[in-house]
């Protein structure tokens, strides 16, 4: 099973699924290992926020 990462858009063989979006191992590790003061953390925070918004929109359209 392959897919495109929802964060870096790279093709990945191993990924976790967050809110229906694939996140590759590298991005997952990056998120886990970034500090709160890290610029990357701020970036991922905004990306994940967007995933949530997309997810909520998707969910509300189904109802
Ligand atoms: Zn990725």
């Amino acid at each position: 099973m392959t897919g495109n990462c929802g964060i870096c858009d790279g093709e990945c063989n191993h990924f976790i699924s967050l809110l229906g979006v694939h996140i590759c191992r590298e991005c997952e590790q990056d998120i886990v290992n970034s500090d709160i003061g890290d610029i990357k953390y701020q970036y991922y925070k905004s990306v994940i926020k967007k995933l949530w918004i997309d997810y909520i929109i998707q969910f509300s359209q189904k109802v």
Side-chain angles (χ1 to χ4, degrees):
M1 202 173 158
T2 57
N4 273 52
C5 175
I7 291 179
C8 68
D9 202 35
E11 261 185 65
C12 42
N13 298 315
H14 302 281
F15 51 81
I16 57 159
S17 204
L18 179 69
L19 310 172
V21 175
H22 300 147
I23 296 174
C24 70
R25 279 198 86 94
E26 287 98 273
C27 287
E28 185 205 347
Q29 287 304 307
D30 245 23
I31 293 166
V32 170
N33 293 324
S34 56
D35 297 323
I36 289 172
D38 201 324
I39 188 83
K40 271 199 286 189
Y41 181 87
Q42 301 299 321
Y43 169 70
Y44 288 130
K45 208 169 75 169
S46 64
V47 170
I48 289 165
K49 198 168 154 188
K50 190 192 171 295
L51 294 183
W52 265 114
I53 293 165
D54 287 349
Y55 181 77
I56 291 163
I57 289 167
Q58 203 179 59
F59 185 74
S60 56
Q61 279 172 347
K62 271 181 201 162
V63 176

